[in-house]
Amino acid sequence: MRKTIFIFAALIIALLALFKLSTYSFLSGNSPIETIIAVIAIVFFVIGVIINKKVLHNEKKIVQEIDHKKIEEIGLSKREYEVLCQIASGLSNKEIANALFVSESTIKTHVSNLLVKLDAKRRTQAIQIAKELRIIVN
Amino acid sequence: MRKTIFIFAALIIALLALFKLSTYSFLSGNSPIETIIAVIAIVFFVIGVIINKKVLHNEKKIVQEIDHKKIEEIGLSKREYEVLCQIASGLSNKEIANALFVSESTIKTHVSNLLVKLDAKRRTQAIQIAKELRIIVN
DNA sequence: AAAACACTCATACTAAAGTATGAAATATTA
DNA sequence: TAATATTTCATACTTTAGTATGAGTGTTTT
């Protein structure tokens, strides 16, 4: 957020400077007006593109960011969240157990608890709900 | 977020207008060129924004579009694809059967065939693979 | 028409997934 | 320190998922 403000502030300053420069060079110098106009057109075109890119980029980022507050709000523990991510990547309980170096029964308890907290009946539904809540990416 | 962006955009435009007005009053109207320059700057700025928006919009669309060719390439039938979508939305076989007005065993065969075609061991993995192949949306 | 395909369904089976309960060790926090 | 939450694991059980096989019914395609 602060970054965006900084970027915009800098842009405004740059714009002001550009305007001053353009009017200055136009009044004092004897350079062709058409060139100045062309340069200004190009510069502002580029500025427009850059600003828009930044804006859309940030929007995209926000859309794909995970909501850590929601994870806490739901009450998912660290381990449960890890298991949830592994489920979403398509692993079985046994595979998750191997990946996290624990027994399969441990994973089963985690899954069971995680399903209750997400209000899901199945792991596939848990994936869907977690995605809607922006708890996991994809 | 969008609000801030709008506010800043409005600020920039206001600044440009102000600058134009100030210079205009300073020179007391004997330089329409500055007005032209200002107008051109604004116009090209807007053009830049619009063009960029269109380009990025198309990119986004492409990213989120489903690859129908891939569905054919893999050899998924219409019904199998329907079942895949229902799986991705978190339904059980019985629920899918009810939704599509067929028996659960029918869904089981569809699922089994679909898993082979997607080279998946589980339905959760099928979701993941289908998403990577851009066969289903998020 | 015959072959190939898609869709349907059933049965029987194996393999996972998920529930319930209890329990123990370790952090974390009041 | 006591209380609480997390993580771990086990056993027993029910449910769902997935496989294999066979078969009937339509559609296309050859």
Side-chain angles (χ1 to χ4, degrees), chain A residues 73-86:
Chain A
E73 195 185 313
I74 291 166
L76 277 183
S77 74
K78 196 192 265 181
R79 211 56 164 165
E80 284 163 354
Y81 181 69
E82 278 184 288
V83 172
L84 174 62
C85 293
Q86 303 281 309

Side-chain angles (χ1 to χ4, degrees), chain A residues 77-79 102-103 105-106 109-110 122:
Chain A
S77 74
K78 196 192 265 181
R79 211 56 164 165
V102 292
S103 79
S105 62
T106 303
T109 37
H110 284 323
R122 283 162 293 282

